[in-house]
Structure formats: C-alpha cells, structure tokens
Amino acid sequence: MIVSQNQSAATVSRSIRTIFVSDVHLGCMHSRAEEFLEFLNSHHPESLYLVGDLIDGWKLRKKWRWPHIYNEIFDRVEELSRKGTEVFYTPGNHDNFLRDFGKRFGFVSLSDEFVHLTADGRRFLIIHGDQFDKFETGAQWLSVLASFAYDMLLTVNTLFNRLMRRQGQTKFALSSAVKSQVKHLMRFISDYEQKLADHARLKRCEGIICGHIHAPNILDIGGINYCNTGDWVEHCSALIEYSDGELEIVFFDQEIEPVQKPVPQARSERIRQEPFVDAEVPGLISRFWKKCHPLKLIRR
C-alpha cells in the first residue's frame, strides 16, 4: 500500500499527474525492487521522471546481478510509455554511462537536466544532483568509500530488523538515524540543498527536484521549492505532483518513520514566467530497453 504522511480526503480524490523517483539502485542487493514494481503498477501518470541512479552501475561492474524482476520493472516502464506516459531520465553518478547516449534513447527522453512545468504554472528544474556533491566531483574515491560504508550500514540494519521482527518490534532505519546524528553529514546535506536551490534560481526556475543523497524532503530555501525524491533502498519514497500542481512525498512502507513534512512557508513573489521551451525535453522514440540494451556497456 502506498501512503502519504499527511494524506487527506481531498488529496485522495485528486489524480496523480506526475511521478518523480530516484535512487532505485537496481544491481545493489539492498534495492527494494519488488516494492518499486508494485508502486509503478499502481499508477498511470501523465509523466514519469527517473531522477538518476535507477541502475547501480558501480555494483554491476563489480558483480553482475540482474534478477528477473528488474526486467519486469523495465517492461512496466515501457508499458506506461505505450499507454501515453512520457518518460524522462536524468542519469546520476551510479548510472552515468547513460550520459553518453545523447538526448534520445528509445522511448525515453534523456538529459542531465529537464525543466518541468507544473499544472499550476511553476517551473521546476529536474536533476539528479551528483554534480553538486563536492566529494563526487572533487574526490570520487571518498564517494566510493562512503557508498561502501552505506552498504555496510544497510546490511547491519537488515540483520538488526530481522532480530527486531522476531521480538515483535517494528522496523528501525539505522542509516537514517546515523545521518540525523552526525553533524558533518548534516552540514553536507544542508550545503547540498543550498547549492541546488541556487542552481534552480540561476536557471530561472521556482523549484528544483533532485535525488542523490537519499533524504526525502520538501523545503522552502529562500523562495525556491527544494524537493528531494528520496530513494528505493531505504525509504521507498517518491515525489508526486497532483492534478492541481501540489507536490507531496509519498512512502510505500510506513513502518519506517518518514520525514516530517515541514509547514509550508509563505511563498515569495513568483518568478516572472518565461515562455516554456521544450527543447530540453526531446521527443520520444519507440523501443528503448529491448533494442538498445545499454546495460551491456557497464559490464566492460
């Protein structure tokens, strides 16, 4: 069941216009692929944005792991496209091999950045966000080390939760708890969020939607709406846009305590709207995953 922390009767009655998901990390042993597939099967949005790290090329280079459910996920994405959903993909650091494929890739529009126009007329920049990670851009070995440490933490968390279940206790998000307590991590996240908000402002957008740091959140940063979709490794979260333009984070598994949605601040005067140019969103062409089969590239 897909639930939202603050879901009201009015929210339920609205249709979902757009879905934004990131950091599924297919290829990683901790990827919640079954939950993600169930989530995709539950909705048929007008647009689907895959905001990076859908595929974990780092893990697949080290050890090829591709269960059948991964193909089911791609089949579902293709099915959505056939039924009218526009699919957009902005690669991340774990699937950056896709950045070599230009702007047209099967039935998916591919770009480092997209501009999405919400139903209520706001411009949102869509980007994975690794470009603003100082460790990823300046010292990638530290980023790889941090990824290894994160995987170890998730493994410990899985074993811990198995023990908790045997004792009749609820799940506990160990890695989230560590993030919330380590001051250096909190400072990094805060700096990351500010950089993304500044980038959106430079692009004349009123908001930004990203992933990368596995921290689902909606914030107002100096009049810029910062939205992080979260991940499908730990939080099983997505950002959705309703038919009236409102954005909200939803969680698949409510047993893990979700982030507290902040009280919205008064929105600053809206940036003057420029004519929307869809040159950043190239047209779709048919048959993406099965004909191109780009996954073979990461086995080199």
Side-chain angles (χ1 to χ4, degrees):
M1 180 180 180
I2 299 155
V3 293
S4 167
Q5 182 171 349
N6 297 312
Q7 199 170 39
S8 63
T11 296
V12 173
S13 65
R14 291 177 294 178
S15 62
I16 293 177
R17 181 174 183 255
T18 313
I19 292 177
F20 307 86
V21 293
S22 72
D23 297 275
V24 184
H25 288 276
L26 299 178
C28 173
M29 64 179 294
H30 298 292
S31 175
R32 304 280 289 275
E34 292 183 3
E35 290 90 337
F36 183 60
L37 178 59
E38 187 174 341
F39 175 81
L40 290 178
N41 285 334
S42 300
H43 298 291
H44 185 184
E46 294 179 19
S47 301
L48 171 64
Y49 284 86
L50 304 170
V51 192
D53 287 358
L54 174 66
I55 304 166
D56 196 326
W58 293 9
K59 296 292 187 297
L60 292 173
R61 287 191 190 102
K62 185 176 180 181
K63 181 179 180 180
W64 185 258
R65 180 181 179 275
W66 197 262
H68 181 68
I69 193 169
Y70 292 1
N71 292 330
E72 293 183 52
I73 289 172
F74 290 129
D75 288 344
R76 174 55 180 167
V77 173
E78 184 181 18
E79 180 185 24
L80 287 171
S81 176
R82 287 200 311 267
K83 292 181 177 180
T85 298
E86 289 192 299
V87 183
F88 306 101
Y89 196 140
T90 172
N93 52 318
H94 285 258
D95 51 12
N96 61 0
F97 63 94
L98 290 173
R99 287 171 172 154
D100 297 331
F101 282 79
K103 293 184 177 295
R104 295 185 178 183
F105 197 25
F107 56 81
V108 175
S109 295
L110 188 70
S111 179
D112 276 345
E113 295 181 353
F114 294 104
V115 173
H116 175 74
L117 194 65
T118 62
D120 57 357
R122 291 175 294 164
R123 284 167 55 94
F124 274 79
L125 189 67
I126 317 298
I127 185 172
H128 180 66
D130 59 298
Q131 303 92 328
F132 297 87
D133 180 341
K134 60 185 177 183
F135 296 110
E136 181 64 31
T137 57
Q140 194 176 60
W141 68 271
L142 282 175
S143 182
V144 173
L145 181 62
S147 178
F148 174 77
Y150 181 62
D151 286 344
M152 291 294 294
L153 198 59
L154 288 173
T155 299
V156 172
N157 187 71
T158 299
L159 296 174
F160 178 76
N161 281 325
R162 286 177 183 172
L163 178 62
M164 294 282 283
R165 279 199 299 272
R166 290 174 185 171
Q167 298 178 353
Q169 303 294 321
T170 57
K171 288 183 180 180
F172 178 69
L174 178 62
S175 52
S176 291
V178 170
K179 287 177 189 175
S180 66
Q181 296 298 322
V182 180
K183 290 182 180 180
H184 291 294
L185 277 176
M186 293 304 294
R187 191 178 303 119
F188 164 76
I189 291 173
S190 178
D191 181 60
Y192 174 85
E193 292 168 343
Q194 184 63 58
K195 286 179 179 178
L196 268 293
D198 292 343
H199 183 59
R201 189 176 290 107
L202 286 174
K203 294 287 186 173
R204 302 180 66 82
C205 291
E206 294 167 280
I208 191 159
I209 296 171
C210 62
H212 185 57
I213 59 172
H214 297 205
N217 214 343
I218 297 178
L219 297 171
D220 184 290
I221 303 177
I224 297 295
N225 296 125
Y226 167 90
C227 304
N228 194 297
T229 66
D231 64 277
W232 287 83
V233 173
E234 183 180 0
H235 296 97
C236 290
S237 60
L239 181 74
I240 58 175
E241 178 202 357
Y242 292 106
S243 53
D244 61 359
E246 183 180 351
L247 297 170
E248 184 176 25
I249 293 175
V250 294
F251 297 84
F252 184 91
D253 187 349
Q254 204 71 9
E255 289 182 32
I256 296 178
E257 186 67 20
V259 296
Q260 297 295 318
K261 186 176 179 180
V263 177
Q265 301 179 18
R267 189 178 296 164
S268 59
E269 184 179 353
R270 189 173 286 180
I271 300 172
R272 183 172 65 87
Q273 293 291 320
E274 298 291 333
F276 181 70
V277 179
D278 63 359
E280 299 179 68
V281 184
L284 304 179
I285 57 177
S286 63
R287 312 302 295 177
F288 166 44
W289 309 109
K290 294 180 179 177
K291 283 192 175 180
C292 297
H293 244 303
L295 297 175
K296 295 178 181 177
L297 294 178
I298 60 181
R299 302 184 69 174
R300 292 183 297 186

